[in-house]
Amino acid sequence: MTARMAKTMNKAKGKRRIYLIIVGLLLIAAALLLCLYNYLENAQAEEQAEKTLSVLSTIIANNKAEIASGDGNSADDALEAIDNKNEDEDADNSSETDSETGDEDVSSSSSSTSSSSTSSTDSTSSSTSVGAVNLPEMPTVTVDGVEYIGVISLPKYGIELPVLSSWSYSGLKTGPGRYSGTLEDNNLILCGHNYRAHFGHLNSTKVGETIIFTDIYGNEYTYTVVKVETIAGDDAASMLADEDEWDLTLFSCTLSGTTRATVRCKLAD
């Protein structure tokens, strides 16, 4: 009886070992798959950002060149000329689309007109409401149907990204988005994913580092990091607090997903 019980117990222990080994292997496989998924997500985000940045940078360079060659006109006149030019291009694209679509219904025609224009500049874009935050107007450039307000650069990490006029979960795969504020009011707040090629370095950013924002007309704003902090993910009030103390804020999720790595900046003298 004792020998039989010992044999039964040994079999049970053997089965338990096999079970634990299988569970361990499954956990390792799951971890590897998660690493692969994160790698592919990072690679895809980096590729999409580079593609959009290429188009956006060309538009910004053209805008800057057109302003510089204003033939004695004021900068405001040059900016108005750029806006009028793009409005004319949008109108031409709309006419061409209408002629091609013929008797298609109105909704189909509108969709085709929107997609036919690769890019345009709009210095009087309407305000946008995102969640509980109402975004005031800022000049924008439209690339593939998405509005952008400029380019953010983190020179220390060799990172340069297009900045969306407003944030969305799908849009953040291309680049950071405007969470609140404007350049003009010196209270701009940008949020981004913690992808390696996006805002993944905010946790390691140090006070004194330089961050550069370039608007759609090629004007560069140089900032100095003055504070790095961690804010709870549900603490929107702290993210928006003390706007007078900094001119630019960048934030992103930490690895835990429950807090936000936050970088506060002031315009450099």
Side-chain angles (χ1 to χ4, degrees), residues 180-181 185-187 189 239-247:
S180 176
D185 294 331
N186 291 325
N187 61 355
I189 300 178
M239 186 62 67
L240 298 168
D242 303 323
E243 287 186 344
D244 294 337
E245 294 186 14
W246 32 74
D247 304 316

Side-chain angles (χ1 to χ4, degrees), residues 60 63-64 67 79 82-83 121-123 139 215-219:
I60 290 174
N63 287 346
K64 186 174 183 179
I67 293 170
L79 296 180
I82 291 172
D83 297 334
T121 306
D122 180 7
S123 63
D215 69 15
I216 65 167
Y217 300 118
N219 300 308

